[in-house]
Amino acid sequence: MTVSSTSSTTSSGTTTVNPFAGSTTSTSGGAPITFSGVISGLNTQSIIAALMAAYKQPQTNITNQISQINSNISNYETIQSQLSSLQAAADAINQTYLWDATSASSSNSSVATATSTSGAPTGTLSFSVNQLAQGAVEMSNSSVGSTSSIVATAPLLIATGASNLGFASLTAGTGLAIGSHSIDVTSALSGASVTGTSGSSSTTITTGSNDTVTANVNGTAQTFTIAAGTYSESQLASALASASGGLLNVSAAQNGGLAVSTTQLGSSSSLQITGGNALSSLGLTAAASAVNGTAGSITVDGTVNTVNNVAAGSSVTLNSGTGGTIATTVGTTGFSTGSFTANYLNIGGGTLSDLVSSINGAGIGISASAVNLGTNSYVLELASTSTGTASQITLDNSALSSSLGGMKQVVAGQDAQIQIGGSSGYTVNSATNAVTGVMQGVTLNLVSAQAAGSTPVSVSITPNATAMASSVSNLVSAANTALSTINKLAGYNSSTSTAGPLMADPNMTTLTQAILQTVASATGPAGAYNSAAVGLSLTKTGTITFDQNTFISAYNANPSAVASIFSQGGNFQSSSATYNGAVSLVYGADATVPGTYAVNISQSATQAKDAGNVISTGTITSAENLTITSGTASASYSATAGESLSAIATGLNSALSAQGIGVNASVVTNGSGSQLVLNSGAYGSAASFSVTSSAVGAGQTGLASVANTPSTFSGLDVAGTINGVTATGSGQILTAPATDPTLAGMALSVTASGITSSTNIGSFSYTPGIAGGMAYTGNLGSNAVNGMTTTTIASLNSQVGALQFQYSSYTPMINAEQQLLTQEFSNMEVQLGTLQNQTQWLTSAIAKLP
């Protein structure tokens, strides 16, 4: 076979030179066959590989460098992750409010238990459980033979919560659409009413001694004589109602006194208690003037219906905005404000099965069942899926056939009721057995009702030292993990005499020292506690230990002092006594640098204020309707001619409080007269309200400048600088820019008042505390933008990129060298082949010589 530098054709195929292997490859329709040193017998492939290994050494060196750098990147990423975890553990307790963890315990868990949230006030609440909340249940009076029996002859109107608002019945009128109908009582229909002070649990009425009450009822003078006897509070209410001959409704109010109201409902009803010898025994007082009832306003599917001057038990018809009407019977005390939904259900074929399916499929908070009482005997049961008095079921019985015999209540929906302080205390009702609002952040979970005279249950709310110890333990664990990793990767192992791969990085030393120094130098305000006092100490190996028992003892002794050593804080040094206590810390970011910063204020925050006219007599001359609006809420008060500004302020405050509007009315008196003033509770531009008045000018309140047109009033936001950096004001909060490298969004509360020009009010010294210091260090090392590990990793990745570029630049030269060596060895084989052919020819020619 002849070998050439390119190719030659033989009878068995084609032979080509492989420029990368330093050998020849024969292809003959199957797998390639490689020959090395076909003529010379040398292993040219190995020779070329050996020569190339030396030529590739620069790339090998670069590969090793990249591998080492990538290993270091991985090490830095581990440290970065652990510093981020340290920051998160510190953030969990670096604010003062995060130290408000509480726990709740009960003296009798079979009666009630409790849970509390952070910030719940500590203390003990004693109460009796009078009754548990339960849902209403109704059942048909008669049974039918099967679930296929016809029990309904028309669509059924049904609701929960109607009777709780005074709707004693519901009947569908002509044209009422199938579906749900919203009913909203926006203004209560009520009689004139008065409520007495808390009375006695037992009152004795004696003929001629304390048995009479005189009153003007609906403009007519009346005298009521109570029958002699000894009464409980509820019995006394019934006795007075009976003595009134149906003119009055009387019940026991939640404060323990008597609630007295007229049975005539609406704005024409009036009531004035004028005297009698029983007032002291009843807890009632004589009034200088009469009070009036109110007209009701009921919106049905968007249509407003006014109901006024009707008697309890009257039937009224309400128009629906979707067509048709709903008739209802007015309850004993009228209509209360609130909302419910009445559902007009299509009951299909009217069978018991159809009725059950229709109610259950409507999802209206009522569960229907066909209860089998025995062979061929089924009754309809309706059960509210919620509890409380609002779970009472009201339905149109006229839609049901006589076969069911109507519906009867077998379980009344009722609220849970507790009595604070035991049997003689105030009662609190709740629609569910989870009672909230009695103590801020505390839920009382009622388990069972108590018999009269039982020992009250006590719920104690205490600081949760164990929970806080767990949070501190998490912080210490995260710190030790980071310290251990940094020591391993950037420290020196004396036992093995080896240095960690990151030992040359001074940032690692900085981070280690910062973590340890945070613990070593920590003290609370005025040196109240140091690290050791709360269970923290340093070891000679550079780790942190935590004694949980020491911490718990300190925390139980003084929770606020322990919290202060861990959480952010600071001190304000005022420039004059005028500004003492005027600045406090609201927030310090993890990147906020500890230090002392000047506070300069150019504008104090103010409340929104509306000052009315100064009236020498202190009374208005004409009737005036006032409406105060804040956001979406409005409160109104109708002042009468000759009414004093003080009475108007009282009426306004009552209306404002009822609507949850944070505005207060007061009267300011000076030498010229009196002035009605409205002030927002909050500060700043967001503390805005508007006032609309029906009458303006001399002799009126002067709270609005144009009749029936709103006048708007707003406060001012605080303005100034922190550390010379312009900050943003919101109410009394002054916040530095988050982009400032030193302050990093630090926010201060500034209560200094009366400042209208640039004033240096002092300096604030920010201290992050142990947790805040740990968060600062964690952020310093792991911040995603400029953290120490972040910038180092970015630099190393840049080095890897440069090395990869160098690596790639060597590749063309290496490939060219390999091709050259392959070609040279191939040429050598060709030359040897030629010499071999010549030798064979010469040998043959010589052999032929004579």
Side-chain angles (χ1 to χ4, degrees):
M1 179 178 64
T2 302
V3 180
S4 69
S5 61
T6 53
S7 65
S8 61
T9 301
T10 66
S11 60
S12 60
T14 303
T15 300
T16 60
V17 175
N18 183 338
F20 299 102
S23 59
T24 58
T25 301
S26 174
T27 59
S28 55
I33 302 173
T34 300
F35 299 93
S36 180
V38 175
I39 304 301
S40 66
L42 298 174
N43 189 344
T44 56
Q45 184 177 0
S46 296
I47 294 171
I48 293 174
L51 293 172
M52 288 304 302
Y55 203 80
K56 291 179 179 180
Q57 190 60 46
Q59 273 194 331
T60 301
N61 293 340
I62 291 173
T63 299
N64 292 337
Q65 285 182 271
I66 291 176
S67 177
Q68 180 58 52
I69 293 173
N70 281 333
S71 177
N72 284 343
I73 289 174
S74 177
N75 291 334
Y76 279 115
E77 287 175 340
T78 298
I79 295 172
Q80 183 183 50
S81 175
Q82 292 174 357
L83 290 172
S84 180
S85 296
L86 173 63
Q87 182 180 358
D91 283 340
I93 54 174
N94 71 347
Q95 303 283 341
T96 302
Y97 74 89
L98 297 172
W99 283 81
D100 290 336
T102 59
S103 60
S105 60
S106 170
S107 64
N108 191 342
S109 59
S110 64
V111 174
T113 62
T115 56
S116 62
T117 61
S118 292
T122 59
T124 299
L125 177 72
S126 178
F127 59 92
S128 297
V129 180
N130 294 344
Q131 64 186 37
L132 296 180
Q134 60 188 26
V137 179
E138 296 207 353
M139 188 170 288
S140 61
N141 286 299
S142 302
S143 64
V144 294
S146 73
T147 58
S148 299
S149 300
I150 300 297
V151 296
T153 58
L156 178 67
L157 184 65
I158 187 170
T160 58
S163 62
N164 198 48
L165 300 183
F167 292 75
S169 67
L170 291 173
T171 303
T174 303
L176 188 66
I178 295 293
S180 62
H181 299 273
S182 62
I183 300 176
D184 184 11
V185 182
T186 56
S187 179
L189 171 68
S190 67
S193 63
V194 296
T195 302
T197 57
S198 177
S200 172
S201 59
S202 178
T203 302
T204 299
I205 299 297
T206 303
T207 301
S209 175
N210 62 340
D211 62 342
T212 62
V213 175
T214 60
N216 290 325
V217 181
N218 302 325
T220 302
Q222 304 283 348
T223 299
F224 308 127
T225 302
I226 305 170
T230 299
Y231 302 99
S232 66
E233 193 72 15
S234 59
Q235 290 170 337
L236 188 61
S238 297
L240 178 56
S242 177
S244 75
L247 291 175
L248 301 176
N249 285 314
V250 188
S251 61
Q254 189 164 330
N255 70 349
L258 294 179
V260 184
S261 62
T262 60
T263 54
Q264 178 69 21
L265 307 170
S267 59
S268 294
S269 64
S270 64
L271 176 62
Q272 179 186 8
I273 304 296
T274 57
N277 59 23
L279 294 190
S280 177
S281 298
L282 300 179
L284 299 174
T285 57
S289 59
V291 294
N292 294 92
T294 58
S297 180
I298 300 99
T299 302
V300 181
D301 299 326
T303 293
V304 178
N305 297 264
T306 300
V307 181
N308 196 20
N309 300 325
V310 298
S314 300
S315 178
V316 296
T317 299
L318 307 174
N319 295 311
S320 165
T322 58
T325 60
I326 295 176
T328 183
T329 302
V330 181
T332 303
T333 57
F335 296 137
S336 302
T337 56
S339 303
F340 68 93
T341 300
N343 298 276
Y344 198 36
L345 305 180
N346 190 329
I347 43 77
T351 67
L352 178 59
S353 178
D354 290 334
L355 185 59
V356 169
S357 295
S358 178
I359 294 173
N360 289 336
I364 58 176
I366 299 173
S367 174
S369 302
V371 181
N372 187 354
L373 301 182
T375 305
N376 300 325
S377 180
Y378 292 86
V379 295
L380 173 65
E381 181 187 79
L382 303 176
S384 175
T385 57
S386 60
T387 58
T389 57
S391 71
Q392 298 282 53
I393 300 170
T394 304
L395 75 162
D396 184 358
N397 274 294
S398 66
L400 302 179
S401 68
S402 59
S403 59
L404 287 179
M407 301 296 291
K408 62 182 177 183
Q409 188 177 79
V410 293
V411 177
Q414 71 177 23
D415 290 342
Q417 185 183 81
I418 64 173
Q419 200 148 13
I420 306 300
S423 59
S424 62
Y426 294 103
T427 58
V428 175
N429 293 336
S430 170
T432 71
N433 290 316
V435 183
T436 59
V438 179
M439 296 179 72
Q440 178 187 343
V442 178
T443 299
L444 306 176
N445 304 298
L446 308 186
V447 179
S448 63
Q450 294 177 285
S454 298
T455 301
V457 62
S458 293
V459 166
S460 297
I461 310 300
T462 57
N464 194 338
T466 302
M468 296 314 305
S470 177
S471 295
V472 174
S473 180
N474 291 339
L475 175 63
V476 171
S477 177
N480 281 332
T481 297
L483 288 170
S484 175
T485 301
I486 293 174
N487 183 55
K488 175 183 175 182
L489 297 175
Y492 180 79
N493 189 329
S494 58
S495 62
T496 60
S497 299
T498 56
L502 310 181
M503 187 173 179
D505 187 352
N507 286 338
M508 297 299 100
T509 301
T510 298
L511 292 170
T512 297
Q513 291 176 344
I515 293 173
L516 297 176
Q517 185 63 26
T518 296
V519 175
S521 62
T523 57
Y529 277 118
N530 58 18
S531 298
V534 294
L536 297 178
S537 60
L538 302 180
T539 69
K540 63 181 181 180
T541 58
T543 59
I544 307 167
T545 62
F546 176 54
D547 188 324
Q548 182 165 302
N549 292 332
T550 299
F551 173 87
I552 290 175
S553 295
Y555 189 77
N556 285 333
N558 194 337
S560 60
V562 172
S564 68
I565 193 176
F566 281 94
S567 56
Q568 300 174 344
N571 296 303
F572 177 61
Q573 299 84 41
S574 61
S575 60
S576 73
T578 303
Y579 306 120
N580 284 349
V583 177
S584 59
L585 179 70
V586 174
Y587 169 75
D590 289 347
T592 300
V593 180
T596 299
Y597 306 111
V599 181
N600 191 290
I601 301 302
S602 57
Q603 170 65 59
S604 294
T606 63
Q607 298 162 294
K609 180 178 179 179
D610 178 15
N613 293 333
V614 177
I615 304 175
S616 60
T617 62
T619 61
I620 60 174
T621 57
S622 302
E624 183 175 350
N625 295 322
L626 294 167
T627 300
I628 291 87
T629 302
S630 178
T632 59
S634 292
S636 298
Y637 180 74
S638 296
T640 58
E643 187 170 358
S644 70
L645 294 180
S646 295
I648 296 173
T650 299
L652 279 173
N653 283 332
S654 177
L656 291 164
S657 176
Q659 297 301 317
I661 298 175
V663 175
N664 179 71
S666 62
V667 176
V668 176
T669 301
N670 54 39
S672 302
S674 299
Q675 179 184 36
L676 186 61
V677 178
L678 300 178
N679 280 290
S680 65
Y683 286 77
S685 57
S688 173
F689 63 86
S690 64
V691 180
T692 303
S693 174
S694 62
V696 298
Q700 301 307 127
T701 63
L703 294 175
S705 56
V706 180
N708 300 313
T709 300
S711 296
T712 301
F713 306 89
S714 299
L716 296 174
D717 296 314
V718 65
T721 64
I722 304 174
N723 199 38
V725 178
T726 300
T728 301
S730 177
Q732 293 180 309
I733 308 302
L734 194 62
T735 304
T739 54
D740 184 82
T742 301
L743 301 174
M746 184 174 73
L748 300 175
S749 172
V750 182
T751 60
S753 61
I755 299 175
T756 57
S757 61
S758 182
T759 303
N760 175 22
I761 65 171
S763 59
F764 184 81
S765 297
Y766 169 67
T767 54
I770 293 175
M774 293 290 190
Y776 177 82
T777 302
N779 178 75
L780 182 67
S782 66
N783 183 281
V785 176
N786 56 7
M788 290 179 174
T789 57
T790 304
T791 55
T792 300
I793 290 171
S795 175
L796 292 176
N797 277 322
S798 178
Q799 292 179 39
V800 168
L803 289 171
Q804 288 174 334
F805 179 80
Q806 293 181 34
Y807 182 96
S808 298
S809 66
Y810 278 106
T811 301
M813 293 184 292
I814 292 172
N815 288 340
E817 180 66 16
Q818 184 164 340
Q819 291 176 2
L820 177 62
L821 289 174
T822 300
Q823 187 63 51
E824 287 177 347
F825 276 95
S826 176
N827 292 340
M828 180 188 72
E829 292 295 331
V830 170
Q831 293 300 321
L832 290 174
T834 301
L835 290 174
Q836 186 180 56
N837 289 337
Q838 291 176 350
T839 300
Q840 291 173 350
W841 180 82
L842 289 172
T843 301
S844 176
I846 291 171
K848 293 178 181 179
L849 291 174

